[in-house]
Amino acid sequence: MRILGAILLTASASLIGILKAKSLKESAASLAELISFLQMMKCEIATSVMPVKLIIKWGLESECRYISCFLNELEQGLDSLHDTSFDKMWKNSVTSALTFLSDRQCFLLCSLGESIGRFEPELQGEAIDGCITVFEKDLAEINSQLKSNQKMYIGLGSGAGLILSIILI
């Protein structure tokens, strides 16, 4: 009976490590998807082809997996825009839906909401470019450390499970 408990404890601790490693990978994929959406948004604003509401709708239709909650909140907020300003609605959507962002990334993206739709397309494009540049640097750093961090979390989970199993036996 003890051996079965030890095996279950080790397996569950290993699973915790695997889930943490998976969340690291999803966080990197989420940031990459956000960068892709911002690049598309910059291109559309610069060419004045689509208004922001259609850009968000296009983002939803392009099957964005990780930022769809953010885009849904933006779309709903745009439908009731008369109640609040766009930058407040943008900020609320960023802070509530994009939980994978660091504080600095969240601040940059919230600041971006203050310039979208207010300034000339060139200035909006520069603001989006600033966010994209920072996000791409962060993504490169995350990707460079991803493999080692994943191995570390899986190893920590498995090791902790084994140690607890040995203590219990």
Side-chain angles (χ1 to χ4, degrees):
M1 192 67 159
R2 286 185 180 180
I3 297 203
L4 179 61
I7 291 171
L8 288 174
L9 182 63
T10 303
S12 63
S14 297
L15 182 62
I16 290 171
I18 291 168
L19 291 175
K20 178 62 180 173
K22 183 181 176 191
S23 75
L24 289 174
K25 190 173 184 178
E26 287 178 350
S27 183
S30 300
L31 191 56
E33 191 172 274
L34 181 61
I35 290 168
S36 175
F37 174 74
L38 289 174
Q39 288 170 337
M40 186 276 307
M41 183 180 220
K42 177 190 167 222
C43 290
E44 293 300 328
I45 288 174
T47 58
S48 299
V49 173
M50 281 196 264
V52 175
K53 188 168 185 166
L54 290 178
I55 294 171
I56 293 167
K57 193 176 272 303
W58 178 86
L60 285 168
E61 291 172 358
S62 66
E63 298 178 13
C64 291
R65 177 178 173 194
Y66 299 105
I67 64 168
S68 62
C69 187
F70 168 65
L71 296 175
N72 277 324
E73 284 193 29
L74 282 177
E75 185 178 43
Q76 291 170 0
L78 285 173
D79 291 338
S80 61
L81 193 58
H82 60 278
D83 295 341
T84 185
S85 65
F86 178 79
D87 59 322
K88 287 181 184 177
M89 184 260 316
W90 177 273
K91 183 177 182 178
N92 289 339
S93 298
V94 168
T95 54
S96 66
L98 299 178
T99 56
F100 61 88
L101 294 176
S102 69
D103 290 340
R104 180 176 63 110
Q105 293 167 340
C106 190
F107 175 76
L108 281 171
L109 201 56
C110 287
S111 300
L112 178 62
E114 296 172 2
S115 65
I116 293 177
R118 287 192 177 177
F119 303 117
E120 297 293 320
E122 296 82 24
L123 294 174
Q124 293 178 54
E126 288 175 15
I128 294 171
D129 255 348
C131 279
I132 290 172
T133 302
V134 170
F135 291 169
E136 284 177 339
K137 286 179 186 175
D138 291 347
L139 182 60
E141 184 179 322
I142 289 170
N143 283 334
S144 70
Q145 299 172 353
L146 186 63
K147 289 281 187 200
S148 61
N149 285 344
Q150 285 179 321
K151 289 178 184 178
M152 177 188 68
Y153 282 114
I154 293 170
L156 280 173
S158 300
L162 285 173
I163 290 171
L164 287 174
S165 295
I166 291 170
I167 290 172
L168 292 177
I169 292 180

Coordinates of all heavy atoms in Angstrom, one line a residue, residues 75-113:
E75 N -14.1 43.4 -28.6 CA -15.3 43.5 -29.4 C -16.5 43.9 -28.7 O -17.3 44.8 -29.1 CB -15.5 42.2 -30.2 CG -16.6 42.2 -31.2 CD -16.8 40.9 -31.9 OE1 -16.7 39.9 -31.3 OE2 -17.0 41.0 -33.1
Q76 N -16.7 43.3 -27.5 CA -17.9 43.6 -26.7 C -17.8 45.0 -26.2 O -18.8 45.8 -26.1 CB -18.0 42.6 -25.5 CG -18.4 41.3 -25.9 CD -18.3 40.3 -24.8 OE1 -17.9 40.6 -23.7 NE2 -18.6 39.0 -25.1
G77 N -16.6 45.5 -25.8 CA -16.4 46.8 -25.4 C -16.7 47.9 -26.4 O -17.2 48.9 -26.2
L78 N -16.3 47.5 -27.7 CA -16.6 48.4 -28.8 C -18.1 48.6 -29.1 O -18.5 49.6 -29.5 CB -15.9 48.0 -30.1 CG -14.4 48.3 -30.1 CD1 -13.7 47.6 -31.3 CD2 -14.1 49.7 -30.1
D79 N -18.8 47.5 -28.8 CA -20.3 47.6 -29.0 C -20.9 48.5 -27.9 O -21.9 49.1 -28.2 CB -20.9 46.2 -28.8 CG -20.5 45.3 -30.0 OD1 -20.2 45.8 -31.1 OD2 -20.6 44.1 -29.8
S80 N -20.3 48.6 -26.8 CA -20.8 49.5 -25.7 C -19.9 50.7 -25.5 O -19.7 51.1 -24.3 CB -21.1 48.7 -24.5 OG -19.9 48.2 -24.0
L81 N -19.3 51.2 -26.5 CA -18.2 52.2 -26.4 C -18.8 53.5 -25.8 O -18.0 54.3 -25.3 CB -17.5 52.4 -27.7 CG -16.2 53.2 -27.7 CD1 -15.2 52.6 -26.7 CD2 -15.6 53.4 -29.0
H82 N -20.0 53.8 -26.0 CA -20.6 55.1 -25.6 C -20.6 55.2 -24.1 O -20.6 56.3 -23.5 CB -22.0 55.2 -26.1 CG -23.0 54.1 -25.6 ND1 -23.0 52.9 -26.2 CD2 -23.8 54.1 -24.6 CE1 -23.9 52.2 -25.6 NE2 -24.4 52.9 -24.6
D83 N -20.4 54.1 -23.3 CA -20.4 54.1 -21.9 C -19.0 54.5 -21.3 O -18.9 55.1 -20.3 CB -20.7 52.8 -21.3 CG -22.2 52.4 -21.6 OD1 -23.0 53.3 -21.9 OD2 -22.5 51.2 -21.4
T84 N -17.9 54.2 -22.1 CA -16.6 54.5 -21.6 C -15.7 54.9 -22.8 O -16.1 54.7 -23.9 CB -16.0 53.2 -20.9 OG1 -14.8 53.5 -20.3 CG2 -15.9 52.0 -21.8
S85 N -14.5 55.3 -22.5 CA -13.6 55.7 -23.6 C -12.8 54.4 -24.1 O -12.7 53.4 -23.4 CB -12.6 56.7 -23.1 OG -11.7 56.2 -22.1
F86 N -12.3 54.5 -25.3 CA -11.6 53.4 -25.9 C -10.4 53.0 -25.1 O -10.2 51.8 -24.8 CB -11.2 53.7 -27.3 CG -10.5 52.6 -28.0 CD1 -11.1 51.5 -28.5 CD2 -9.1 52.6 -28.1 CE1 -10.5 50.5 -29.1 CE2 -8.4 51.6 -28.7 CZ -9.1 50.5 -29.2
D87 N -9.6 54.0 -24.6 CA -8.4 53.6 -23.9 C -8.7 52.9 -22.5 O -8.0 52.0 -22.1 CB -7.5 54.8 -23.7 CG -8.1 55.9 -22.9 OD1 -9.3 56.2 -23.1 OD2 -7.4 56.6 -22.1
K88 N -9.8 53.3 -21.9 CA -10.2 52.6 -20.6 C -10.7 51.2 -20.9 O -10.3 50.2 -20.2 CB -11.3 53.3 -19.9 CG -10.8 54.6 -19.2 CD -11.9 55.3 -18.5 CE -11.4 56.6 -17.9 NZ -12.4 57.4 -17.2
M89 N -11.4 51.0 -22.0 CA -11.9 49.7 -22.4 C -10.7 48.8 -22.8 O -10.7 47.7 -22.5 CB -12.9 49.9 -23.6 CG -13.6 48.6 -24.1 SD -12.8 47.9 -25.6 CE -12.6 49.3 -26.6
W90 N -9.8 49.4 -23.6 CA -8.6 48.6 -24.0 C -7.8 48.2 -22.7 O -7.4 47.0 -22.6 CB -7.7 49.5 -24.8 CG -6.4 49.0 -25.3 CD1 -5.2 49.0 -24.6 CD2 -6.2 48.3 -26.5 NE1 -4.3 48.4 -25.4 CE2 -4.8 47.9 -26.5 CE3 -6.9 47.9 -27.6 CZ2 -4.2 47.2 -27.6 CZ3 -6.3 47.2 -28.7 CH2 -5.0 46.9 -28.6
K91 N -7.6 49.1 -21.8 CA -6.9 48.8 -20.6 C -7.6 47.7 -19.8 O -6.9 46.8 -19.3 CB -6.7 50.0 -19.7 CG -5.9 49.8 -18.5 CD -5.7 51.1 -17.7 CE -4.8 50.9 -16.5 NZ -4.6 52.1 -15.7
N92 N -8.9 47.8 -19.6 CA -9.6 46.7 -18.9 C -9.5 45.4 -19.6 O -9.3 44.3 -18.9 CB -11.1 47.1 -18.8 CG -11.3 48.2 -17.8 OD1 -10.5 48.5 -17.0 ND2 -12.4 48.9 -18.0
S93 N -9.5 45.4 -20.9 CA -9.4 44.1 -21.7 C -8.0 43.5 -21.5 O -7.8 42.3 -21.3 CB -9.7 44.3 -23.1 OG -11.0 44.8 -23.3
V94 N -7.0 44.4 -21.5 CA -5.6 43.9 -21.4 C -5.4 43.3 -20.0 O -4.9 42.2 -19.9 CB -4.6 45.1 -21.6 CG1 -3.2 44.7 -21.2 CG2 -4.6 45.5 -23.1
T95 N -5.8 44.1 -19.0 CA -5.5 43.6 -17.6 C -6.3 42.4 -17.2 O -5.8 41.5 -16.5 CB -5.8 44.7 -16.6 OG1 -7.1 45.2 -16.7 CG2 -4.7 45.8 -16.7
S96 N -7.5 42.2 -17.8 CA -8.3 41.1 -17.4 C -8.1 39.8 -18.2 O -8.2 38.7 -17.7 CB -9.8 41.4 -17.4 OG -10.3 41.7 -18.7
A97 N -7.7 40.0 -19.5 CA -7.7 38.9 -20.4 C -6.2 38.4 -20.7 O -6.0 37.2 -21.0 CB -8.4 39.2 -21.7
L98 N -5.3 39.3 -20.6 CA -3.9 38.9 -21.0 C -3.1 38.7 -19.7 O -2.1 39.5 -19.5 CB -3.3 40.0 -21.9 CG -4.0 40.2 -23.2 CD1 -3.4 41.3 -24.1 CD2 -4.1 38.9 -24.0
T99 N -3.4 37.7 -18.9 CA -2.7 37.5 -17.7 C -1.3 37.0 -17.8 O -0.6 37.0 -16.8 CB -3.6 36.5 -16.8 OG1 -3.8 35.3 -17.5 CG2 -4.9 37.1 -16.4
F100 N -0.9 36.5 -19.0 CA 0.4 36.0 -19.2 C 1.4 37.1 -19.3 O 2.7 36.8 -19.3 CB 0.4 35.1 -20.4 CG 0.1 35.8 -21.7 CD1 1.1 36.4 -22.5 CD2 -1.2 35.8 -22.2 CE1 0.7 37.0 -23.7 CE2 -1.6 36.4 -23.4 CZ -0.6 37.1 -24.1
L101 N 1.0 38.3 -19.5 CA 1.9 39.4 -19.7 C 2.6 39.8 -18.4 O 2.0 39.8 -17.3 CB 1.2 40.7 -20.2 CG 0.6 40.6 -21.6 CD1 -0.1 41.8 -22.0 CD2 1.7 40.3 -22.7
S102 N 3.9 40.2 -18.5 CA 4.6 40.8 -17.3 C 4.0 42.2 -17.0 O 3.3 42.7 -17.8 CB 6.1 40.9 -17.5 OG 6.3 41.8 -18.5
D103 N 4.3 42.7 -15.9 CA 3.9 44.1 -15.5 C 4.3 45.1 -16.6 O 3.5 46.0 -16.9 CB 4.3 44.5 -14.1 CG 3.7 43.7 -13.0 OD1 2.6 43.1 -13.3 OD2 4.2 43.6 -11.9
R104 N 5.5 45.0 -17.0 CA 6.1 46.0 -18.0 C 5.3 45.8 -19.3 O 4.9 46.8 -20.0 CB 7.6 45.7 -18.2 CG 8.2 46.7 -19.2 CD 9.7 46.4 -19.2 NE 10.0 45.1 -19.7 CZ 10.5 44.8 -20.9 NH1 10.9 45.7 -21.7 NH2 10.8 43.5 -21.2
Q105 N 5.1 44.6 -19.8 CA 4.4 44.3 -21.0 C 3.0 44.8 -20.9 O 2.4 45.4 -21.9 CB 4.4 42.9 -21.4 CG 5.8 42.3 -21.7 CD 5.8 40.8 -21.7 OE1 5.0 40.1 -21.1 NE2 6.8 40.2 -22.4
C106 N 2.3 44.6 -19.8 CA 1.0 45.1 -19.6 C 0.9 46.6 -19.6 O 0.0 47.1 -20.3 CB 0.5 44.5 -18.2 SG -1.3 44.8 -18.0
F107 N 1.9 47.3 -19.0 CA 1.9 48.7 -19.0 C 2.1 49.2 -20.4 O 1.4 50.2 -20.9 CB 3.0 49.2 -18.1 CG 3.2 50.7 -18.2 CD1 2.3 51.5 -17.5 CD2 4.2 51.3 -18.9 CE1 2.5 52.9 -17.6 CE2 4.4 52.7 -19.0 CZ 3.5 53.5 -18.3
L108 N 3.0 48.6 -21.2 CA 3.2 49.0 -22.6 C 1.9 48.9 -23.4 O 1.5 49.8 -24.2 CB 4.3 48.3 -23.2 CG 5.7 48.7 -22.9 CD1 6.7 47.7 -23.4 CD2 6.0 50.0 -23.4
L109 N 1.3 47.7 -23.3 CA 0.1 47.5 -24.1 C -1.1 48.4 -23.7 O -1.9 48.8 -24.5 CB -0.3 46.0 -24.0 CG -1.2 45.4 -25.1 CD1 -0.6 45.7 -26.4 CD2 -1.5 44.0 -24.9
C110 N -1.2 48.6 -22.4 CA -2.2 49.6 -21.9 C -2.0 51.0 -22.4 O -2.9 51.7 -22.8 CB -2.3 49.6 -20.4 SG -3.0 48.1 -19.6
S111 N -0.7 51.4 -22.5 CA -0.3 52.7 -23.0 C -0.6 52.8 -24.5 O -1.0 53.8 -25.0 CB 1.2 53.0 -22.8 OG 1.5 53.0 -21.4
L112 N -0.5 51.7 -25.2 CA -0.8 51.6 -26.6 C -2.3 52.0 -26.9 O -2.6 52.7 -27.8 CB -0.5 50.2 -27.2 CG -0.9 50.0 -28.7 CD1 0.0 50.9 -29.5 CD2 -0.6 48.6 -29.0
G113 N -3.2 51.6 -26.0 CA -4.6 51.9 -26.1 C -4.9 53.4 -26.1 O -5.9 53.8 -26.7

